[in-house]
Amino acid sequence: MSPSALAAHVPSTDVGASMYELMADLFPLCRSITGAGLRDTLDRIGTIVPLELTEVPTGTPAFDWTVPKEWNVRDAWVANDRGEKVIDFRTSNLRVVNYSSPVRRRLSLDELRPHLHTLPDHPTWVPYRTSYYAETWGFCLSQHELDRLPDGEYEVVIDATLEAGSLTYGECVLPGSSAEEILVSSHVCHPSLANDNLSGVVVAAHLAGVLAETERRYTYRFLFAPGTIGAIVWLSRNEHLLDRVRAGLVLACVGDAGPVVYKRSRRGDTEVDRAAAHVLRGRGLGDEIVDFSPYGNDERQFCSPGFDLPVGAITRSGHDRSERHHTSADDLASIDPAALADTLGVCLDVLAVLEDNATLVSRNPKGEPQLGRHGLYRSFGGRADQERLESALLWVMNLADGEHTTLDVAEQADLPFPIVAEAAAALERADLVRAEARSGSTRGDGR
Amino acid sequence: MSPSALAAHVPSTDVGASMYELMADLFPLCRSITGAGLRDTLDRIGTIVPLELTEVPTGTPAFDWTVPKEWNVRDAWVANDRGEKVIDFRTSNLRVVNYSSPVRRRLSLDELRPHLHTLPDHPTWVPYRTSYYAETWGFCLSQHELDRLPDGEYEVVIDATLEAGSLTYGECVLPGSSAEEILVSSHVCHPSLANDNLSGVVVAAHLAGVLAETERRYTYRFLFAPGTIGAIVWLSRNEHLLDRVRAGLVLACVGDAGPVVYKRSRRGDTEVDRAAAHVLRGRGLGDEIVDFSPYGNDERQFCSPGFDLPVGAITRSGHDRSERHHTSADDLASIDPAALADTLGVCLDVLAVLEDNATLVSRNPKGEPQLGRHGLYRSFGGRADQERLESALLWVMNLADGEHTTLDVAEQADLPFPIVAEAAAALERADLVRAEARSGSTRGDGR
Amino acid sequence: MSPSALAAHVPSTDVGASMYELMADLFPLCRSITGAGLRDTLDRIGTIVPLELTEVPTGTPAFDWTVPKEWNVRDAWVANDRGEKVIDFRTSNLRVVNYSSPVRRRLSLDELRPHLHTLPDHPTWVPYRTSYYAETWGFCLSQHELDRLPDGEYEVVIDATLEAGSLTYGECVLPGSSAEEILVSSHVCHPSLANDNLSGVVVAAHLAGVLAETERRYTYRFLFAPGTIGAIVWLSRNEHLLDRVRAGLVLACVGDAGPVVYKRSRRGDTEVDRAAAHVLRGRGLGDEIVDFSPYGNDERQFCSPGFDLPVGAITRSGHDRSERHHTSADDLASIDPAALADTLGVCLDVLAVLEDNATLVSRNPKGEPQLGRHGLYRSFGGRADQERLESALLWVMNLADGEHTTLDVAEQADLPFPIVAEAAAALERADLVRAEARSGSTRGDGR
């Protein structure tokens, strides 16, 4: 077994720039959990990687939920008595409360006020609001804008439809030599918000692009679906697949310059949890590893107790991000293309561990082998990592008892996984070790 | 299942004062491991809570022990040659060595000296001494008193009986809806010593009083018995009951202003150990949790290897207490009524956890429930603990896999137990979760 | 079961001096992995303890290895054109590369240079070099010596033989009342190097001497064999014995004043690992305990995955030692006789734990025993360690449930093992506890 090419794949700054461009393309679309903006976004992603779309009709039950009506909005505004639009959907799709029911009325400012949403603590920002499951309507504006609205009568128009239709999600499946699957999921329902979550969407799309070009042990499934309801609908239609899910990553809020944060799966010690922890610790960059909690993104659904899938989540998002969350301040200017590339690199490194991790079985378990006889004595001479590779040879031989994996060796020897994988491959070529693909189980521990 | 009322029960300062009064009542009685003073004490406790007394005859075997003769003392003194009592039992029952055999003699000071006990390091204090299992006699006095005794002849009188009789213990059993028992035990053999252990006795009695007025899941058994021999005799007569003991607390030295100290059961991770640790950590008051050791009070017997009961111990006792231990300085003045009330509150909080702890089983394990459909979306609005209750809803739903209890959720979510219990009750009312009373086993771990 | 006499055996400074003398005796011999110097060394050890020698012929296979030709060297030098020996084997056997093939040639300095080995970073030291498995020849000298060699022609003579012969190892077996074995191994192949490893050899020999005079529960096997190939050859011929190996120690580099370093067995938690950790922690001298790694000495072979024996390693070797390693600076002057004696004492303490460790089963598991009835109340009066012995009585009684050993009690009670062993013996004499020799298994954990 030769080490996967994934580990050697280091995303360039060009890749960061091209992910940023895709974000800029997608930014203006008015996405929601259903509707045309969502479909347009999936179509655009489909130009990067092959995407199969699924439409699930309004009213379809999914566990405790039901697919809602489809929402589409053509235009929306609030105009003053001089016909001037004081709040205009065309300036930003955050202006209208997502899933607002259609309305066309004249109201006094006092009547209008309960429908207007601001952020008094950030008086120049516009909030992002939704009302998926309670029919209402509303507009969002900055506190400064609200303060400047004079009394008087206003024309309110939301030219939207909320009707039977369907919810759309997209999947890109890249078959590997095993039917076991690695799931990568990114919610795609937010309108003009950048980090949350066009960043996750574009990293997932580019990750799919790299994997499509690489020999794969596992089958990869990329899911682009609206948050919560989309994941729940997908789960309800794919329960038969779940036993194949060996690992997964939810990607969201990965475009800022903060440290990478890996959130463990609910089980906490699955293979992807250990792989991500190994990769992040090895970077030595102050990345964080946190326990599962039932907050966050679609890991909440994948890790609900009835599924308990081995799915972790990658975010970045330093502390200053949380207040920008779900506001107009989560804009393209707050995105760092280098962070997008760095996140992509972390994902590739984690997947490289999963691809190459194997149970190691020595063919020479009694005493050390005489490395010289096998052409392995000082066989890495001249390489900068010679010493670590020689150390890895000894560690692999010592731990190759059929109960340790490549990752176990890397952790116990405190060596980078790719070094250990290379040493194991050299020993396998010398017929001193056998690397056994590990039978997958979504219920297995991380070893 | 509605949360127990125990958690909401916060002992008032009045309750502290009334426990202190009971201590003052009981203080002058000359208790021992047998005899009239012990019976009088149990009778007085019986005016607070119903107490069933058991008399175990002298000579009854109990494992490695035998019930000793019954000791009663009417009067005792040492008088000088002018007939003046220089040591007088009537001034304090600590003056005579507990279990002294009767004596009526005249001796020189030098002959008397081996029978006189002092504390040279604390020359104004009188020690507390016993000689239960070796027949002898003696008097206790302060070093200053001893130093002032002139040579000469002294009359020594101990008007006591040491004869076949019985050992007495009292039990208060409060039946619950389950036959499983929670044992609360407090040694009641010490004469005029306050913290050790009238404090434990009055807290136990008042705890029984509160529980008698509260709906109970468990059956509660309060044991007031002489230390060591009393517990051993009780155990020897109640082995058939021990399988029912789900948890227990030994209360002693709980009337001083020091931090609460919880001493784990021998097993260390039983439910009561985890409940006490959760309650004390949540207080944030610097309380201590220590491992089991074979020193202390009757937890030594309950946690001997042949029983290994899930019984912990609560004491307070700051560092300055240990030197007052078993001396006349352990007097009523060293007791803080607020500490008595605080200890009672801790006991109630621990028992509330035991009462309400249940295995949680989701009825909606696949994906999150749509809380709005169940009237649970922002259903705690306006409460100061709204955010924690909403968090608890998510945590309960995520961990309700039949392998986590309410206490597990509280620990993992880092939330107070009562908050989690309330959220679980709300989810149970919405039919989203089932709370299963956990089958008890004295051998089970703490989960 | 009376505690072993080993714990009370404290090596005197005389013993340190006599170990140092033996080192001085052995130092000049030209040892290698085969040959006369090795045999002479084993003969000399055989004057201290009975040693059975085994000769394994050249060409004998041993797992991945083959016994090499036997090497013997009579003399070797490099002489200048005036016949003066500028490098002379007679001044130090480090001068010739160990296992050099015979040579008798005249060469220019430039032709000679590739055969000359120095340590440029330590220009006054001579390196120690070997070439067991690649036929070549060479000389070792200091950098200063090399720098002073003038151009010109040199006569090179290595009067050696490299021919079919045998590899020699020595064993001293001291039978105990059990057939279970404790293995002590020390590599004996290095020529004139002191700490690595005459220090280990003389401590092992003296340890055998003490054990020969002591009643033994276990059978002890002392192995003096050349490093790597010797251990592998021994293992290949003694696989039938390995199931009896209950514990083992590899001794090397134990003559310097650095702290003791115990390296755990590969399993990490075997009985010898726990015993060594207990002894070293109890010393409070800053000794170190490190995890197994596949570097070091013959523990690499004993702990290869096909054997995975419960064998740890004891070294000392402070940080300044590593650069002296395998150089002429590892000389007798760098050895501290007190350190040799201290290492011997540590070994004895560790073996005393193994000898005395037993599973404790109470004969009075229900409640505490009445110690007075058994003559054990304050039975250690007047001894400096009275309080700890009394504490040990209680701890033993409490933990003697058939699932704890003497060592478990010592660890849990935080008491020295000999104190607990003495208390257990007293309780056994009083028929309150039964100490059960534990059935040994090389696969068992350390409990």
Side-chain angles (χ1 to χ4, degrees), chain A residues 169-192:
Chain A
Y169 61 76
E171 288 171 283
C172 165
V173 178
L174 304 172
S177 54
S178 160
E180 287 189 282
E181 293 198 358
I182 292 179
L183 175 69
V184 179
S185 171
S186 224
H187 63 276
V188 69
C189 50
H190 285 186
S192 294

Side-chain angles (χ1 to χ4, degrees), chain B residues 203-370:
Chain B
V203 170
H206 280 73
L207 186 57
V210 175
L211 281 159
E213 304 294 315
T214 311
E215 203 174 334
R216 295 173 300 274
R217 172 171 159 190
Y218 293 115
T219 294
Y220 287 80
R221 181 179 302 265
F222 289 82
L223 174 62
F224 301 91
T228 306
I229 181 69
I232 284 171
V233 165
W234 181 85
L235 282 162
S236 75
R237 297 167 59 90
N238 290 282
E239 285 198 73
H240 61 287
L241 284 181
L242 301 183
D243 276 350
R244 296 188 206 162
V245 177
R246 186 183 179 87
L249 290 173
V250 171
L251 300 182
C253 304
V254 293
D256 62 280
V260 173
V261 179
Y262 177 76
K263 175 180 170 180
R264 292 189 180 95
S265 75
R266 181 177 181 274
R267 283 185 259 155
D269 65 345
T270 71
E271 194 176 17
V272 67
D273 298 315
R274 294 186 60 219
H278 180 79
V279 165
L280 293 185
R281 275 198 304 266
R283 282 159 51 98
L285 296 177
D287 299 317
E288 293 172 35
I289 298 159
V290 299
D291 279 338
F292 178 79
S293 66
Y295 319 114
N297 295 296
D298 284 332
E299 66 274 13
R300 283 154 31 210
Q301 314 309 328
F302 301 126
C303 296
S304 57
F307 302 123
D308 203 14
L309 295 176
V311 172
I314 289 180
T315 57
R316 300 188 79 102
S317 302
H319 293 297
D320 66 315
R321 298 302 302 188
S322 55
E323 55 181 18
R324 292 171 180 265
H325 192 69
H326 283 199
T327 78
S328 59
D330 181 2
D331 58 9
L332 287 168
S334 71
I335 297 300
D336 177 359
L340 295 169
D342 183 66
T343 305
L344 179 58
V346 165
C347 293
L348 288 167
D349 287 346
V350 172
L351 297 180
V353 172
L354 298 179
E355 285 280 315
D356 287 342
N357 198 23
T359 299
L360 301 171
V361 185
S362 178
R363 294 178 175 279
N364 185 81
K366 296 182 175 179
E368 294 177 338
Q370 192 183 349

Side-chain angles (χ1 to χ4, degrees), chain C residues 165-420:
Chain C
S166 61
L167 175 151
T168 319
Y169 60 77
E171 288 170 283
C172 165
V173 177
L174 304 172
S177 55
S178 160
E180 287 190 282
E181 294 198 359
I182 292 179
L183 175 69
V184 179
S185 170
S186 224
H187 63 275
V188 71
C189 49
H190 285 187
S192 295
L193 298 170
N195 208 31
D196 181 15
N197 184 33
L198 288 177
S199 68
V201 167
V202 302
V203 170
H206 280 74
L207 186 57
V210 175
L211 281 159
E213 304 295 314
T214 312
E215 203 174 335
R216 294 174 301 273
R217 171 169 160 194
Y218 293 114
T219 295
Y220 287 81
R221 181 180 301 266
F222 289 81
L223 174 62
F224 300 90
T228 306
I229 182 69
I232 285 172
V233 164
W234 181 85
L235 282 163
S236 75
R237 298 167 58 92
N238 291 282
E239 284 198 74
H240 62 286
L241 284 182
L242 301 183
D243 276 351
R244 297 188 204 160
V245 177
R246 187 182 178 87
L249 290 173
V250 171
L251 301 182
C253 305
V254 292
D256 61 281
V260 174
V261 179
Y262 177 76
K263 176 180 170 182
R264 293 188 180 95
S265 74
R266 180 178 183 273
R267 284 186 258 155
D269 65 346
T270 70
E271 194 177 16
V272 67
D273 298 316
R274 295 187 60 220
H278 180 79
V279 166
L280 293 186
R281 275 198 305 264
R283 282 157 52 97
L285 296 177
D287 299 316
E288 293 172 34
I289 297 160
V290 300
D291 280 337
F292 178 79
S293 67
Y295 318 115
N297 295 297
D298 284 332
E299 66 273 14
R300 282 154 34 211
Q301 313 309 329
F302 301 125
C303 296
S304 57
F307 302 123
D308 203 13
L309 295 176
V311 172
I314 290 180
T315 56
R316 301 187 79 103
S317 302
H319 293 296
D320 66 318
R321 299 300 305 188
S322 56
E323 54 182 20
R324 291 171 181 265
H325 192 69
H326 283 200
T327 78
S328 57
D330 181 3
D331 57 11
L332 287 168
S334 71
I335 296 300
D336 177 359
L340 294 170
D342 183 66
T343 305
L344 180 59
V346 166
C347 292
L348 289 167
D349 287 347
V350 172
L351 297 180
V353 173
L354 298 180
E355 285 281 315
D356 288 341
N357 198 24
T359 298
L360 302 170
V361 185
S362 178
R363 293 177 176 279
N364 186 82
K366 296 181 175 180
E368 294 176 339
Q370 192 183 349
L371 290 178
R373 287 209 315 124
H374 302 279
L376 288 169
Y377 187 64
R378 306 219 168 137
S379 56
F380 301 105
R383 286 186 46 172
D385 49 7
Q386 171 182 1
E387 205 172 320
R388 293 196 294 178
L389 280 159
E390 287 173 0
S391 170
L393 288 179
L394 299 184
W395 275 107
V396 169
M397 286 311 300
N398 187 268
L399 292 178
D401 53 9
E403 305 201 348
H404 289 87
T405 66
T406 326
L407 181 53
D408 290 333
V409 176
E411 293 280 295
Q412 199 161 328
D414 196 18
L415 288 169
F417 183 91
I419 295 271
V420 176

Side-chain angles (χ1 to χ4, degrees), chain A residues 362 364-371 373-374 390-392 394-395 397-401 404 412 415 432, chain C residues 62-66 133 228 232 235 239 266 292-295 297 299-301 303-308:
Chain A
S362 177
N364 185 82
K366 295 181 175 180
E368 294 177 338
Q370 191 183 350
L371 289 178
R373 285 209 318 122
H374 302 279
E390 286 172 1
S391 169
L394 299 184
W395 275 108
M397 286 312 300
N398 188 268
L399 292 178
D401 55 7
H404 289 86
Q412 200 162 327
L415 288 169
L432 283 167
Chain C
F63 306 127
D64 200 41
W65 303 66
T66 305
Y133 300 103
T228 306
I232 285 172
L235 282 163
E239 284 198 74
R266 180 178 183 273
F292 178 79
S293 67
Y295 318 115
N297 295 297
E299 66 273 14
R300 282 154 34 211
Q301 313 309 329
C303 296
S304 57
F307 302 123
D308 203 13

